[in-house]
Amino acid sequence: MAKQLYYEDVDEGGDIPPLVKHPTPRQLVMWAGASGDYHEIHYNKEFALSRGLPDIIVHGQLACCFLGQLITDWIGEEGVLKKLSCSYRGMNFPGEDLICQGKVTGKYVEDGGHYIECNIWAGNPQGEKTVLGTAVVMLPARGQGQ
Amino acid sequence: MAEDLLVSGELKSKIGVELISGEYEIEKGMIQRFVQAVDDPNPLWQDIAPPLFVVVLGFSEFDKQMAKLMGARLHGGTEFEYFKPVRPGDVITASRKIADVREREGKKLGKMAFVTFEITYKNQNGELVAKCRQTAIGYKPHEEKNG
């Protein structure tokens, strides 16, 4: 696991280390089972085609959880994810890389808590952003030894 | 039925309506299935659930409720707020209500309804662990226009 990230380590405009996911049809089936989302557009190609889609598509909510992983990987054990939002704008397909990225948009201290705000997004290999979102995390500060 | 609701604007009258709530006993295996499906090997998820784990609790029944209300729909967005960790052994109650309904004319899909559901998750001690707003976009498939 990555080393602990501290509030002082983060600069406005800085990038979150990207997370590249490789969703497969098998993963979408596992997600269907874990999440209870059994919409056939996510695992039955014939059905997806009949709905005018070019292939089965990655669940939006799974992409949202990938963005959650992007954040929890970055903030380390002592960081806390406070808020995360996702807006589903496009489709991701299994067999294609799904690239999760983010950028720090602000940092502030409130009631003794050290907070970071970020824009986050998921994209396809063509560089199109398919999920847009934001996140707020709380980080430990140096010299705050507990 | 759902399409009629969309046409008449009657969905708007459903704002504030409470949907069926559910109670879920959290087992280690549920968390492991979630973590394996996301393919998130973070060792932290041995003893606590990843923050977004709660969104899957009762999703299939919630989805049925949405189907009944809205008919054909797309997932528009998820807004998630996290307050407290969830651990194996917790009992989580998810309460769902309709928080907002907006109607809009879409270029491709014709008349659409943006319905936002608010879901509150509390643990066995009555503590708020998370809140989630899910927006579903209802549309009438038969009026789908090309281009």
Side-chain angles (χ1 to χ4, degrees):
Chain A
M1 207 181 156
K3 67 176 173 56
Q4 183 56 49
L5 183 75
Y6 288 90
Y7 181 75
E8 292 81 0
D9 302 336
V10 178
D11 295 316
E12 206 174 312
D15 292 322
I16 297 172
L19 172 71
V20 181
K21 302 294 286 187
H22 313 281
T24 58
R26 178 190 167 90
Q27 187 171 17
L28 302 194
V29 170
M30 287 172 77
W31 176 256
S35 71
D37 183 344
Y38 291 108
H39 284 236
E40 286 185 62
I41 53 169
H42 302 299
Y43 55 85
N44 180 344
K45 184 159 183 172
E46 216 171 282
F47 183 86
L49 294 175
S50 79
R51 291 297 158 107
L53 298 168
D55 198 347
I56 56 171
I57 61 171
V58 176
H59 301 73
Q61 195 103 272
L62 177 58
C64 181
C65 290
F66 290 160
L67 289 169
Q69 183 186 0
L70 170 82
I71 297 294
T72 51
D73 279 356
W74 178 53
I75 62 179
E77 185 166 358
E78 291 175 53
V80 182
L81 171 65
K82 303 296 281 187
K83 287 182 190 180
L84 187 141
S85 73
C86 287
S87 169
Y88 307 114
R89 304 298 177 94
M91 290 177 271
N92 286 99
F93 301 100
E96 283 187 358
D97 284 354
L98 194 160
I99 305 130
C100 300
Q101 291 172 271
K103 206 176 237 328
V104 175
T105 55
K107 53 189 291 187
Y108 59 92
V109 179
E110 194 178 273
D111 297 332
H114 294 73
Y115 296 91
I116 306 289
E117 291 174 321
C118 333
N119 282 335
I120 51 175
W121 62 92
N124 62 23
Q126 292 77 46
E128 293 157 344
K129 292 178 180 176
T130 51
V131 183
L132 293 179
T134 59
V136 177
V137 302
M138 189 167 81
L139 291 179
R142 287 189 195 281
Q144 253 196 344
Q146 293 180 7
Chain B
M1 184 65 89
E3 290 178 19
D4 293 344
L5 276 178
L6 198 54
V7 174
S8 64
E10 209 185 304
L11 259 178
K12 276 197 173 155
S13 68
K14 306 265 178 193
I15 294 175
V17 167
E18 305 264 346
L19 304 173
I20 303 161
S21 299
E23 202 178 86
Y24 310 94
E25 279 187 54
I26 309 305
E27 295 159 14
K28 207 165 183 169
M30 292 161 76
I31 298 172
Q32 287 314 306
R33 270 199 301 280
F34 176 92
V35 165
Q36 284 163 7
V38 177
D39 190 19
D40 180 353
N42 193 329
L44 279 179
W45 313 144
Q46 295 295 325
D47 302 313
I48 60 170
L52 286 158
F53 165 73
V54 295
V55 300
V56 303
L57 296 177
F59 185 84
S60 57
E61 54 191 87
F62 172 45
D63 196 48
K64 278 182 206 144
Q65 295 169 340
M66 286 196 288
K68 214 168 163 184
L69 272 166
M70 302 177 64
R73 68 213 172 278
L74 304 167
H75 200 169
T78 303
E79 286 170 70
F80 179 77
E81 211 174 338
Y82 178 78
F83 300 100
K84 250 184 143 44
V86 170
R87 292 188 165 82
D90 282 350
V91 180
I92 303 296
T93 303
S95 313
R96 309 181 182 91
K97 70 173 185 189
I98 300 175
D100 192 26
V101 177
R102 284 171 296 136
E103 283 167 8
R104 202 193 287 175
E105 200 70 33
K107 273 183 195 153
K108 273 194 178 175
L109 295 174
K111 191 169 184 178
M112 300 185 291
F114 289 69
V115 183
T116 302
F117 298 86
E118 192 174 278
I119 307 144
T120 304
Y121 303 91
K122 286 187 178 167
N123 65 17
Q124 64 281 9
N125 304 319
E127 297 165 317
L128 186 62
V129 296
K131 258 187 191 178
C132 186
R133 287 167 72 90
Q134 297 277 20
T135 298
I137 306 169
Y139 66 99
K140 288 179 285 173
H142 303 305
E143 283 194 8
E144 211 164 318
K145 293 167 194 160
N146 292 319

